[in-house]
Amino acid sequence: MRTNVLGTALTCCCRQPMTGFYRDGYCRTGPGDVGLHTVCIEATADFLRFSAARGNDLSTPMPEWDFPGLEPGDRWCLCVTRWKEALDAGIAPPICLSASHESALEWVDLDDLKAHALDDPGGVTE
């Protein structure tokens, strides 16, 4: 069973665009996921500019990596270290708690995650 940061069943983050390290819609991690794609965010224009300025352009499509490019409002499984970096810079995007993997708590506090939770914390309906 996959568990989220709230200690309940992990819900799907997004399927349009298809996200997750395993491209299954879930922010789960495992061997090979050195980026720890565990936080389900809703992209904002400010965050996308911030990430691009840090060398990770999330707006430009990269078909070779099965990456469509993100627009504000898209949900995406983000690397927890990038979210923490954005948090420290005051630009953390909102997150879906039920779709963020429990291992994110090894890097960030639950209170910080809750402070950036979406009004509708539910994941994508299967």
Side-chain angles (χ1 to χ4, degrees):
M1 178 174 159
R2 297 174 260 178
T3 307
N4 63 36
V5 295
L6 300 172
T8 59
L10 185 69
T11 62
C12 183
C13 178
C14 186
R15 289 212 166 103
Q16 285 287 22
M18 187 61 82
T19 190
F21 179 74
Y22 297 104
R23 292 299 192 261
D24 62 359
Y26 288 86
C27 299
R28 60 191 184 92
T29 189
D33 181 13
V34 296
L36 301 173
H37 296 79
T38 56
V39 179
C40 179
I41 68 155
E42 186 172 287
T44 64
D46 285 342
F47 171 73
L48 292 172
R49 282 190 295 274
F50 170 81
S51 189
R54 296 293 192 275
N56 186 17
D57 179 2
L58 295 172
S59 299
T60 302
M62 294 184 209
E64 65 275 18
W65 296 104
D66 197 23
F67 180 70
L70 301 180
E71 297 178 5
D74 286 343
R75 285 194 179 180
W76 192 252
C77 293
L78 185 69
C79 297
V80 65
T81 53
R82 177 65 53 165
W83 191 85
K84 175 73 165 92
E85 182 181 9
L87 175 69
D88 292 345
I91 304 175
I95 67 161
C96 177
L97 295 172
S98 65
S100 295
H101 192 272
E102 67 181 340
S103 66
L105 296 174
E106 295 174 23
W107 296 88
V108 293
D109 292 330
L110 182 57
D111 287 342
D112 287 332
L113 295 172
K114 285 181 175 180
H116 292 83
L118 295 166
D119 289 339
D120 173 16
V124 173
T125 305
E126 298 273 347

